[in-house]
Amino acid sequence: GINAEYMGQQVNIHQAFETLVREVLGGAKQCSKAGGDRAGYLLKRGDGAFKSDQRRWFCLRKATMTYHKSEGDATCLGALDLRNCAVTLESKPAHTLKLTGPHLNPDKAKNKAYTLSADTEAEAEAWKEAIEMASQFKE
């Protein structure tokens, strides 16, 4: 991870960001369709040697999108900072969103891309619109 000095102590930036997200969002219990800007299941393409898709519960609030194993799961598996993020709707595979941006994951390389798939074209369009709005937040 990326470390920085804060008030004389070494701090892991990724862990600090994850902790902040958990505190701000109050855990996944409040991350429901009514609790954020948008929430629902998406398939997240894995970035390991085997590119398998994992069904995850995503919650978008302001410029942060968190993902969890399932709805109501308090364990945050990851958080994406969507500020200045670009999102495109891919035709193959169908209903697929590709996210790129300088802040997506502070613990990974710059401009890491994420591939997410929705169940329907309408859902993918709604997520694209919500992510485009979130990418404009200045915090």
Side-chain angles (χ1 to χ4, degrees):
I2 300 170
N3 293 313
E5 189 171 314
Y6 178 73
M7 298 182 78
Q9 295 182 339
Q10 285 294 314
V11 177
N12 180 291
I13 300 297
H14 182 69
Q15 288 175 339
F17 181 69
E18 295 270 335
T19 301
L20 177 63
V21 167
R22 276 193 287 280
E23 288 175 9
V24 169
L25 295 180
K29 291 181 180 107
Q30 293 181 10
C31 182
S32 64
K33 290 186 187 221
D37 299 327
R38 180 152 190 82
Y41 281 102
L42 294 169
L43 291 177
K44 178 185 170 290
R45 172 69 43 96
D47 58 0
F50 301 101
K51 306 273 188 226
S52 62
D53 291 343
Q54 299 291 322
R55 189 168 171 84
R56 298 291 183 229
W57 178 258
F58 282 82
C59 182
L60 173 61
R61 186 173 290 169
K62 294 188 180 179
T64 303
M65 192 158 88
T66 59
Y67 57 95
H68 310 263
K69 193 168 187 174
S70 61
E71 183 178 6
D73 185 351
T75 304
C76 177
L77 299 176
L80 308 179
D81 181 345
L82 300 177
R83 289 174 300 144
N84 300 312
C85 170
V87 58
T88 55
L89 191 56
E90 308 281 313
S91 58
K92 292 186 181 180
H95 326 305
T96 298
L97 300 164
K98 185 166 188 172
L99 283 66
T100 57
H103 307 293
L104 276 179
N105 190 335
D107 200 34
K108 303 283 183 189
K110 278 189 171 185
N111 292 320
K112 174 169 173 37
Y114 282 84
T115 303
L116 308 172
S117 297
D119 290 335
T120 67
E121 190 71 23
E123 255 184 85
E125 288 282 353
W127 274 104
K128 181 179 184 289
E129 186 177 313
I131 291 167
E132 286 173 340
M133 295 285 288
S135 74
Q136 298 174 27
F137 269 91
K138 308 274 191 263
E139 293 188 29

